[in-house]
């Protein structure tokens, strides 16, 4: 396997979605982006399917609906969402934008060498 090259990506602070990694050829399957949700907005219910997902909250407050279980979170928190999990992220603020980075990666078999 060819070694991947390390890289640095600048985060834009323009209030718009920013794709950070899109899978190959830069990674072995990880994808990530920066999300901005205005007050009251949500990202839309979806499933992680065969991926696990990590959210890193940069600013604001929100609520994660993880298969009907509601978890409140805010700046400086991380959220892990296991594979095969239906979820939605909502900005529950009336005034402040919610910004977070999501990373999704395929799940390998337990004990599989990486």
């Amino acid at each position: 396997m060819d070694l991947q090259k390390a890289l640095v990506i600048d985060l834009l602070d323009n209030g718009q979605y920013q794709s950070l990694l899109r899978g190959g050829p830069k990674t072995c399957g990880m994808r990530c982006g920066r999300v901005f949700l205005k007050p009251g907005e949500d990202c839309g219910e979806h499933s992680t399917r065969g991926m696990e997902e990590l959210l890193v909250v940069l600013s604001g407050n929100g609520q994660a609906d993880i298969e009907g279980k509601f978890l409140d979170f805010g700046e400086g928190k991380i959220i892990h969402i296991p594979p095969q999990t239906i979820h939605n992220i909502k900005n529950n603020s009336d005034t402040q934008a919610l910004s977070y980075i999501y990373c999704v990666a395929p799940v390998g078999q337990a004990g599989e060498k990486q």
Side-chain angles (χ1 to χ4, degrees):
M1 177 164 117
D2 292 308
L3 293 176
Q4 303 296 318
K5 293 182 181 179
L7 66 141
V8 174
I9 301 170
D10 292 324
L11 290 178
L12 305 176
D13 198 17
N14 61 6
Q16 302 293 316
Y17 172 82
Q18 179 185 2
S19 177
L20 299 173
L21 293 171
R22 300 179 198 183
K26 299 245 184 244
T27 76
C28 296
M30 182 188 322
R31 294 189 328 261
C32 64
R34 184 174 185 182
V35 176
F36 289 88
L37 295 176
K38 295 176 184 172
E41 283 187 330
D42 65 74
C43 70
E45 186 176 86
H46 59 286
S47 172
T48 52
R49 298 183 303 220
M51 312 278 257
E52 61 183 333
E53 183 170 3
L54 181 74
L55 308 181
V56 180
V57 183
L58 302 173
S59 64
N61 295 293
Q63 187 175 67
D65 176 354
I66 311 291
E67 295 191 335
K69 181 177 180 181
F70 296 93
L71 305 170
D72 293 321
F73 63 85
E75 181 177 332
K77 302 292 184 185
I78 64 168
I79 302 163
H80 176 261
I81 304 168
Q84 308 300 331
T85 304
I86 296 171
H87 63 284
N88 191 8
I89 304 299
K90 182 176 183 179
N91 179 346
N92 59 2
S93 170
D94 292 331
T95 59
Q96 185 180 15
L98 170 63
S99 174
Y100 62 90
I101 292 176
Y102 73 87
C103 295
V104 294
V107 176
Q109 298 296 321
E112 180 180 315
K113 280 190 171 182
Q114 299 294 322

